[in-house]
């Protein structure tokens, strides 16, 4: 209806700032950090464009200094969630009818603000609230800008795809938003994912409710404010921090929920899928379920691998952002012939990493996100310390006296099915299994037997070995790297997502994702309609 094509060119990825000593961006960020750390931000719900204040609130603290409160956030209950659904549905017609170029223009403007004046606000709040270093927060916010620009461009490319028309008629495909609202539930670990989950469907004309993670709510709130500042109409996205249970009970089961956009753990997505199944007869449409979920991302080395890049990939892949990237490397398979040289190198590299306050720019790792994550990591460390099947190569300790700090840990496991080799931990702990060089095929099979299939990488110089490994691991991940670490996917370059228990593999930020929020309506117009009823073959000879 309003999806005119404007030939917007393919976007460039947002430029990454380096925050070198003496640079203007470093000075601006430090000033912003100083300001934000001294505040306690009061966060309301935002429903129908209005701030809504509730009695029930939660305190938001910094993971690396858990006694320090940086925000108080209102929590929605049944009443507010119902208001948010009503507001989204009321906003739907006008938003859907807003010409495509104006929806696109709005989100390109938001992206530009993220690349410019608003960058420091989002970067600082992501650092403080989610314990990211300046660089990790920087790539997170750059990714959010990328999601917006590539989202707009992907939508345009989808709209261009039109059916053929025979002479005398015109067939066209109208890409409608879904008939209902979108429920977006986001995780703590990327501000970019938080922002993208409600925004991607909204770019193509949908309306949404957005439940951010309570441990990422500060940065997510600033993004919501930015959307409003850039002119997002009231009710198009309703910001409703609340408990997962309330969201499931009052929103997921609503007959007008047309799409569910989720990133988080496998268990939560499966519980929502189950709930949707149980309610299936009550929905107006079959809801589109898109979920990027858990992982147990791997590194697999061949005996021909180069040692230095292999060691660096293990350390960066496992420990950047405390192992809390969805793509973080958390198991590795190393041939016995490489281990004697690799082990001391891993110890050396890990010893260089400073763990601490992310406001100090020489920090490599902050704290894990919260007490529950700390306890999960501690449980794995305590059990590994007591197990005859494990030995610590490095790390193995943690300390929660000031922040939720877990030291970067490498565990050598004597069996490939030891719990830390197979279960998701989501912390700075990597497990390594050293295999006999002549057991390559068997070990590839073990690697491939994981229930997860998100990200993975191989290291080898021998080209035939690369071919064999790629073939054996084809279904073991959605994103696969050859001689590179398994983290760091860039929007538009390595569209990200996994299969098996890791998700529906709808590749965030790409047209594969955007198309899930559209429902095609095919229109045929006949220019000179036929008046015949009988067909020529019916004429008697
Ligand atoms: P989580 O599943 O604990 O929480 C995600 C969101 O779901 C939060 O907003 C949470 O409040 C909400 N939630 C919790 N219980 C709920 C329920 N019963 N009903 C509805 N919503 C509920 O995940 P997390 O700790 O925020 O993030 C870490 C997890 O996310 C890891 O498993 C990680 O692998 C995964 N992850 C995956 C990807 C990917 O691309 N595959 C990306 C990022 C994170």
């Amino acid at each position: 209806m309003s999806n005119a094509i404007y030939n917007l060119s393919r976007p460039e990825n947002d430029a990454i700032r380096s925050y070198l000593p003496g640079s203007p961006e470093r000075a601006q960020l430090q000033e912003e950090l100083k300001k934000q750390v001294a505040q306690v931000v009061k966060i309301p719900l935002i429903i129908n464009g209005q701030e809504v204040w509730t009695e029930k609130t939660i305190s938001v603290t910094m993971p690396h200094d858990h006694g320090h409160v940086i925000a108080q956030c209102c929590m929605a209950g049944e009443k507010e969630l119902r208001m948010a659904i009503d507001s989204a549905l009321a906003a739907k017609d006008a938003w859907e009818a807003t010409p495509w170029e104006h929806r696109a223009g709005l989100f390109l403007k938001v992206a530009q603000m993220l690349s410019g004046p608003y960058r420091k606000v989002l970067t600082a709040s992501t650092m403080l609230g989610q314990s990211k270093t300046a660089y990790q927060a920087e790539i997170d916010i750059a990714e959010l800008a990328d999601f917006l620009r590539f989202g707009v461009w992907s939508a345009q490319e989808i709209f261009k795809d039109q059916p053929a028309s025979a002479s005398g008629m015109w067939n066209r495909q109208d890409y409608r938003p879904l008939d209902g609202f979108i429920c977006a539930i986001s995780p703590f670990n990327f501000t970019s994912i938080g922002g993208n989950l409600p925004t991607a469907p909204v770019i193509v004309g949908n309306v949404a409710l957005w439940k951010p993670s309570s441990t990422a709510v500060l940065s997510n709130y600033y993004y919501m404010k930015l959307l409003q500042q850039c002119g997002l109409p009231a009710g198009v996205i309703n910001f409703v921090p609340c408990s997962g249970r309330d969201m499931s009970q009052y929103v997921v089961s609503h007959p007008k929920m047309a799409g569910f956009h989720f990133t988080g753990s496998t268990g939560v997505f499966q519980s929502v899928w189950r709930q949707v199944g149980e309610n299936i007869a009550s929905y107006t449409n079959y809801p589109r379920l898109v979920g990027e979920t858990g992982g147990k991302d791997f590194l697999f080395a061949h005996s021909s691998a180069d040692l230095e890049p292999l060691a660096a990939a293990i350390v960066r892949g496992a420990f950047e952002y405390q192992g809390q990237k969805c793509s973080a490397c958390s198991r590795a398979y190393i041939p016995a012939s490489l281990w004697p040289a690799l082990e001391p190198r891993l110890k050396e590299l890990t010893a260089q990493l400073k763990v601490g306050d992310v406001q100090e720019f020489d920090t490599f790792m902050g704290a894990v996100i919260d007490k529950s994550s700390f306890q999960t990591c501690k449980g794995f460390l305590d059990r590994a310390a007591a197990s005859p099947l494990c030995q610590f190569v490095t790390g193995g300790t943690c300390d929660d006296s000031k922040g939720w700090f877990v030291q970067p840990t490498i565990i050598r496991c004597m069996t490939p099915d030891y719990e830390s080799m197979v279960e998701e931990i989501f912390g700075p702990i990597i497990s390594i299994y050293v295999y006999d060089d002549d057991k390559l095929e068997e070990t590839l099979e073990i690697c491939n037997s994981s229930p997860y299939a998100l990200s993975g990488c191989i290291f080898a110089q021998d080209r035939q070995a690369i071919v064999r490994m790629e073939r054996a691991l084809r279904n073991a991940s959605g994103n696969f790297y050859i001689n590179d670490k398994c983290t760091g996917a860039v929007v538009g370059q390595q569209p990200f997502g996994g299969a098996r228990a890791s998700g529906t593999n709808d590749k965030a930020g790409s047209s594969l994702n955007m198309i899930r929020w559209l429902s095609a309506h095919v229109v045929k117009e006949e220019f000179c309609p036929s008046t015949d009823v009988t067909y020529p073959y019916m004429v008697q000879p």
Side-chain angles (χ1 to χ4, degrees):
M1 219 158 74
S2 56
N3 295 334
I5 308 298
Y6 287 92
N7 267 330
L8 202 63
S9 48
R10 189 186 166 92
E12 300 276 323
N13 288 107
D14 203 45
I16 306 288
R17 295 154 170 77
S18 52
Y19 298 95
L20 294 177
S23 63
E25 71 262 18
R26 183 162 166 146
Q28 281 168 13
L29 180 59
Q30 282 174 324
E31 198 184 313
E32 181 68 23
L33 284 165
K34 217 186 280 172
K35 187 176 113 194
Q36 287 196 20
V37 85
Q39 296 172 343
V40 180
V41 180
K42 305 267 184 243
I43 302 179
L45 318 176
I46 299 177
I47 299 175
N48 199 27
Q50 303 294 315
E51 294 183 349
V52 175
W53 301 91
T54 57
E55 267 173 32
K56 190 176 167 204
T57 61
I58 54 161
S59 296
V60 180
T61 59
M62 298 196 296
H64 45 277
D65 184 0
H66 50 49
H68 187 133
V69 176
I70 46 173
Q72 288 288 345
C73 177
C74 288
M75 297 290 273
E78 177 180 357
K79 182 176 126 209
E80 293 80 18
L81 291 173
R82 294 202 190 284
M83 276 165 60
I85 295 171
D86 291 346
S87 138
L89 292 173
K92 186 172 169 50
D93 275 355
W95 181 240
E96 196 171 322
T98 303
W100 160 242
E101 60 273 25
H102 289 283
R103 290 203 311 260
L106 193 160
F107 292 107
L108 294 175
K109 177 180 167 85
V110 176
Q112 206 56 32
M113 292 292 282
L114 288 172
S115 302
Y118 222 75
R119 178 64 138 251
K120 61 180 183 193
V121 178
L122 270 272
T123 307
S125 52
T126 299
M127 289 175 71
L128 299 176
Q130 289 136 271
S131 205
K132 290 201 173 188
T133 60
Y135 185 74
Q136 293 302 321
E138 167 69 13
I139 56 178
D140 188 348
I141 308 312
E143 183 175 61
L144 182 51
D146 283 349
F147 275 139
L148 293 163
R149 295 193 181 104
F150 280 87
V152 167
W153 178 75
S154 301
Q156 169 190 269
E157 297 306 295
I158 291 171
F159 300 153
K160 279 182 188 167
D161 185 18
Q162 291 293 324
S165 299
S167 90
M169 68 169 77
W170 183 18
N171 298 321
R172 58 191 160 86
Q173 191 146 279
D174 168 22
Y175 291 92
R176 300 169 298 184
L178 304 185
D179 180 13
F181 68 86
I182 307 296
C183 171
I185 300 185
S186 56
F188 77 85
N189 66 337
F190 277 88
T191 304
S192 60
I193 299 177
N196 184 51
L197 293 187
T199 311
V202 161
I203 288 174
V204 289
N206 291 282
V207 290
L209 266 67
W210 174 22
K211 178 202 142 7
S213 166
S214 55
T215 42
V217 75
L218 181 62
S219 59
N220 289 199
Y221 171 62
Y222 280 128
Y223 176 67
M224 183 67 206
K225 299 273 288 176
L226 175 62
L227 291 172
Q228 288 189 295
Q229 198 180 313
C230 290
L232 185 76
V236 171
I237 294 178
N238 296 279
F239 180 79
V240 282
C242 63
S243 75
R245 213 182 322 108
D246 281 352
M247 197 70 175
S248 282
Q249 192 171 346
Y250 304 115
V251 182
V252 169
S253 51
H254 192 281
K256 279 285 179 189
M257 188 187 78
F260 181 72
H261 203 190
F262 177 78
T263 298
S265 56
T266 300
V268 171
F269 189 55
Q270 291 187 352
S271 76
V272 167
W273 194 297
R274 218 171 282 124
Q275 194 188 342
V276 168
E278 279 160 14
N279 287 321
I280 201 69
S282 66
Y283 294 106
T284 307
N285 288 277
Y286 295 111
R288 302 268 173 96
L289 305 179
V290 173
E292 294 303 333
T293 56
K296 188 70 187 171
D297 308 307
F298 64 84
L299 178 149
F300 201 112
H302 181 254
S303 53
S304 66
D306 273 353
L307 194 79
E308 282 304 315
L310 171 62
I314 292 175
V315 172
R316 272 196 167 178
F319 302 138
E320 280 182 342
Y321 191 37
Q322 298 85 267
Q324 298 175 120
K325 296 185 183 187
C326 20
S327 54
C329 186
S330 80
R331 56 184 165 128
Y333 303 85
I334 306 294
S337 57
L338 289 185
W339 184 244
L342 183 64
E343 185 181 15
R345 191 68 188 123
L346 290 175
K347 286 184 184 178
E348 254 169 42
L349 290 173
T350 309
Q352 295 169 16
L353 309 180
K354 179 181 156 192
V355 180
D357 188 335
V358 291
Q359 290 179 83
E360 292 158 13
F361 275 55
D362 56 346
T363 296
F364 182 86
M365 264 178 52
V368 298
I369 193 71
D370 58 11
K371 183 175 186 180
S372 152
S373 168
F374 179 85
Q375 285 174 336
T376 301
C377 293
K378 186 169 185 318
F380 276 97
L381 296 182
D382 290 348
R383 290 190 296 280
S387 171
L389 296 173
C390 301
Q391 72 198 38
F392 289 118
V393 174
T394 181
T397 57
C398 51
D399 177 0
D400 63 353
S401 50
K402 185 164 185 344
W404 309 116
F405 289 111
V406 178
Q407 288 300 313
T409 297
I410 302 177
I411 307 175
R412 180 174 171 193
C413 301
M414 302 309 159
T415 57
D417 58 355
Y418 179 73
E419 62 166 18
S420 67
M421 282 294 300
V422 293
E423 290 173 27
E424 181 173 49
I425 304 174
F426 225 57
I429 300 171
I430 179 169
S431 299
I432 292 184
Y433 176 65
V434 178
Y435 69 91
D436 286 345
D437 289 41
D438 58 3
K439 296 249 169 65
L440 176 66
E441 300 298 337
E442 295 91 318
T443 315
L444 283 167
E445 257 174 57
I446 291 168
C447 178
N448 186 35
S449 66
S450 171
Y452 296 108
L454 189 49
S455 188
C457 61
I458 58 170
F459 275 76
Q461 291 304 312
D462 175 336
R463 184 51 64 172
Q464 287 306 339
I466 292 175
V467 172
R468 273 160 71 198
M469 292 161 86
E470 183 176 347
R471 195 175 299 146
L473 297 173
R474 188 165 184 230
N475 287 309
S477 70
N479 286 63
F480 188 68
Y481 300 79
I482 300 171
N483 291 322
D484 197 4
K485 64 185 168 58
C486 58
T487 59
V490 174
V491 178
Q493 296 192 40
Q494 299 95 19
F496 192 74
R500 296 186 183 161
S502 292
T504 53
N505 200 16
D506 289 294
K507 302 296 186 200
S510 79
S511 57
L512 295 174
N513 179 285
M514 299 305 276
I515 204 143
R516 299 296 310 272
W517 314 118
L518 291 164
S519 177
H521 183 229
V522 174
V523 180
K524 175 190 174 188
E525 181 173 349
E526 185 68 37
F527 296 132
C528 295
S530 171
T531 51
D532 291 339
V533 172
T534 58
Y535 287 92
Y537 77 90
M538 297 167 74
V539 176
Q540 292 297 331

